[in-house]
Amino acid sequence: MRRPRGRRFGLRTRLVVAFVLVTLISAVTSTALAYRESRSAVLERAQNAVLTDFRNRVGEVAADLDIPPDRSTLTRFAGSVSRGLGDDIVVARYHDLTATSDSLADQTRITPELRTAVRTTGRLRYQRVAWHGEPFLVVGASVAFASGRTSDLDVFTIAPLRAEEEDIAVLLSSVRAGLLPVVLLAAALALLAARTVLRPVRDLSRATRKLAAGELSTRVTVKGRDELAELAETFNHTAESLQASVAELRDQEERARRFVADVSHELRTPLAAMTMVSTVLDEDADQLPPDSALAARTVSAEVAQLTRLVQDLIEISRFDAGTVALDAAETDLAELVRQVLTRRGWSAEVHTDLAEGVRAVVDRRRIDVVVANLVGNALRHGAKPVAVVLRATEDEITLDVTDRGPGLPPEVLPHVFDRFYKADTARRRSEGSGLGTAIALENAQLHGGTLVAANRSEGGAVFTLRLPRNRPEDAR
């Protein structure tokens, strides 16, 4: 059975790829969401800790601060606040005075937007910034005293978030490392699922090929109650129906063959008697009255045609029954063709071009039948000159029979070798039995050869008989 071409990926591969892709997309999406939430949680926890510590520390230190402060007082205030905040840098600003807990600290991490927000709102404000590739949390507040009066003192703290970012990076690495096992597990599960799904499909495919090859008793095992089980049941019902139909058709064909063979054999005896009588009548026709002579000759011709039909039916029934055997012998084909034409009185009407010395192992009687049929049809249905050309190569022998008639209509060519086929059902009854070309084809195939019909470009039909130089051992 011919399989589809151009298929790059099988169903198993596509199922596995689809399963892995869905799993991978789901895993990546879930990981991205989890990473985002985890990152937000880590940063928010660190941010809340910094805000709480900063608020409490500023409140504690600001209670002892004298307003307005000088530069040294402001510097001591920034240092006192920073001592309770670990590695955080504190910046204090009062009007034009600015002091830091670290004289080397870069204050550019405090953005103008944050300064403005703290000064205008007077509330605690924060902002995440990146400085030289490092993450920082900058928190600012305007100091208010217990009496409720506000001051122009703004305090900022710059808290590094490197530890939190490292924790987040470790989390991300762990998540990435976990993707590969997930994908591998998904691939393994996909292979298992594909195997489970495709096993019934493969069984159905194998059974279908066997069914197409003629094993009509092929069935598949039905497992489960899913859609594949339903498909298997449908296949089995279809196979049973097909087996029953084919068995019935074969039985009808066998009965028809037996009927034709029996009728043909039963007709042989009466036909033999009729042939004897018609021969006598035909010989004495000249001594009979004109009407009686015409009737005698008509009966003789019809009996002869009926005899040929019965003989052809018996011959074709032997082919159908497979009981035909070759009586093969080495033969000079050129000489055989000349004898065929001479015995039938066609030598003067047929032009021959026969390669000499062409010998093959053939059944002389059957090749005689083939050549006689092809030449007779060319003379009856074609136009002169009719030519027979014999050629041979090391492996093949070719015999062409051509005529100069109108050729074969295109719609007739596929049916030339059909039994009892008529190109025009309204035409008068032909002289042949309607089985001649069919028997010729069977004889050609019996020798391991072929017989084909075609139209010549210059006009007329051509029938080509091809025979192997040495008959195959498996010929019937």
Side-chain angles (χ1 to χ4, degrees):
M1 180 178 177
R2 186 173 64 87
R3 296 190 178 187
R5 296 181 179 178
R7 184 183 66 178
R8 296 182 61 188
F9 302 106
L11 184 57
R12 176 197 292 269
T13 304
R14 284 179 282 173
L15 284 175
V16 172
V17 170
F19 198 95
V20 171
L21 284 178
V22 170
T23 304
L24 184 60
I25 292 172
S26 301
V28 170
T29 303
S30 302
T31 300
L33 293 175
Y35 169 74
R36 188 184 67 178
E37 294 299 324
S38 300
R39 183 176 184 276
S40 299
V42 170
L43 293 177
E44 188 174 355
R45 185 173 64 250
Q47 173 182 296
N48 291 337
V50 171
L51 291 177
T52 301
D53 293 343
F54 178 69
R55 183 187 294 110
N56 294 337
R57 188 62 183 164
V58 170
E60 292 175 1
V61 177
D64 299 328
L65 180 65
D66 293 330
I67 297 297
D70 56 15
R71 181 176 296 279
S72 61
T73 301
L74 197 60
T75 301
R76 287 195 301 272
F77 172 76
S80 298
V81 173
S82 68
R83 279 194 289 272
L85 299 179
D87 296 333
D88 295 2
I89 300 173
V90 176
V91 179
R93 182 184 179 87
Y94 184 80
H95 294 295
D96 295 333
L97 294 178
T98 301
T100 66
S101 60
D102 184 353
S103 60
L104 300 178
D106 189 345
Q107 300 181 31
T108 57
R109 284 169 283 187
I110 306 174
T111 63
E113 292 83 1
L114 182 60
R115 295 177 188 274
T116 302
V118 169
R119 180 92 313 258
T120 56
T121 63
R123 296 180 180 179
L124 191 68
R125 290 289 182 265
Y126 63 88
Q127 186 180 36
R128 293 175 192 162
V129 298
W131 185 71
H132 296 310
E134 298 286 339
F136 292 90
L137 176 66
V138 182
V139 182
S142 183
V143 177
F145 295 96
S147 61
R149 66 186 181 85
T150 60
S151 67
D152 293 331
L153 177 60
D154 297 334
V155 185
F156 300 89
T157 182
I158 303 173
L161 297 177
R162 179 185 303 170
E164 286 73 15
E165 287 293 335
E166 290 177 351
D167 292 341
I168 293 172
V170 171
L171 175 62
L172 181 59
S173 298
S174 301
V175 170
R176 287 175 177 172
L179 283 178
L180 181 59
V182 170
V183 172
L184 293 178
L185 178 61
L189 293 176
L191 284 171
L192 181 61
R195 180 180 180 184
T196 303
V197 172
L198 293 180
R199 184 185 293 113
V201 176
R202 286 196 299 269
D203 293 342
L204 279 172
S205 176
R206 191 179 301 111
T208 301
R209 288 195 294 271
K210 289 182 178 179
L211 195 66
E215 299 182 29
L216 301 182
S217 60
T218 302
R219 300 292 185 273
V220 294
T221 303
V222 179
K223 298 179 181 179
R225 297 183 178 180
D226 55 8
E227 290 79 0
L228 290 174
E230 183 178 352
L231 179 60
E233 289 181 355
T234 303
F235 173 84
N236 288 340
H237 292 324
T238 303
E240 289 174 2
S241 300
L242 179 61
Q243 186 178 20
S245 299
V246 170
E248 183 179 356
L249 289 173
R250 287 175 177 172
D251 184 60
Q252 292 177 356
E253 184 179 7
E254 182 60 29
R255 289 199 300 268
R257 289 175 178 174
R258 192 180 305 115
F259 173 78
V260 171
D262 292 344
V263 170
S264 300
H265 282 284
E266 290 298 327
L267 287 175
R268 294 181 70 177
T269 300
L271 274 176
M274 294 173 62
T275 301
M276 293 174 58
V277 173
S278 63
T279 302
V280 173
L281 291 176
D282 193 36
E283 292 176 351
D284 296 338
D286 293 337
Q287 302 174 10
L288 298 175
D291 292 342
S292 299
L294 177 61
R297 292 190 178 95
T298 301
V299 169
S300 178
E302 293 296 330
V303 169
Q305 185 164 352
L306 182 59
T307 301
R308 286 194 299 271
L309 174 60
V310 171
Q311 290 173 345
D312 287 347
L313 285 172
I314 293 174
E315 182 73 359
I316 207 73
S317 66
R318 289 172 180 166
F319 281 114
D320 292 340
T323 59
V324 177
L326 285 176
D327 182 15
E330 187 176 2
T331 303
D332 186 325
L333 293 182
E335 182 60 29
L336 176 59
V337 171
R338 281 191 284 266
Q339 291 176 5
V340 171
L341 300 178
T342 301
R343 280 197 300 269
R344 291 165 176 78
W346 294 339
S347 299
E349 302 179 73
V350 178
H351 171 73
T352 59
D353 182 5
L354 308 176
E356 298 297 335
V358 178
R359 305 183 67 84
V361 179
V362 297
D363 188 323
R364 293 179 57 89
R365 184 183 69 84
R366 297 188 181 279
I367 297 300
D368 179 289
V369 170
V370 174
V371 176
N373 176 266
L374 298 182
V375 175
N377 285 339
L379 291 172
R380 285 193 300 271
H381 305 296
K384 297 179 181 180
V386 173
V388 178
V389 179
L390 177 66
R391 292 290 183 267
T393 64
E394 292 182 359
D395 302 321
E396 186 181 64
I397 298 171
T398 303
L399 180 73
D400 291 330
V401 178
T402 61
D403 65 69
R404 294 302 179 93
L408 297 168
E411 65 275 10
V412 173
L413 275 174
H415 307 285
V416 168
F417 301 103
D418 291 353
R419 300 175 185 181
F420 300 110
Y421 178 76
K422 293 182 179 181
D424 183 5
T425 56
R427 65 181 173 85
R428 65 180 180 85
R429 184 165 59 93
S430 63
E431 298 178 3
S433 64
L435 296 172
T437 53
I439 293 175
L441 177 61
E442 292 285 353
N443 281 320
Q445 294 174 346
L446 191 65
H447 286 81
T450 61
L451 181 60
V452 296
N455 287 321
R456 304 193 324 162
S457 58
E458 59 269 30
V462 55
F463 284 77
T464 302
L465 171 66
R466 291 188 176 90
L467 298 174
R469 196 64 183 264
N470 295 313
R471 183 174 59 87
E473 296 179 358
D474 60 348
R476 288 182 295 174

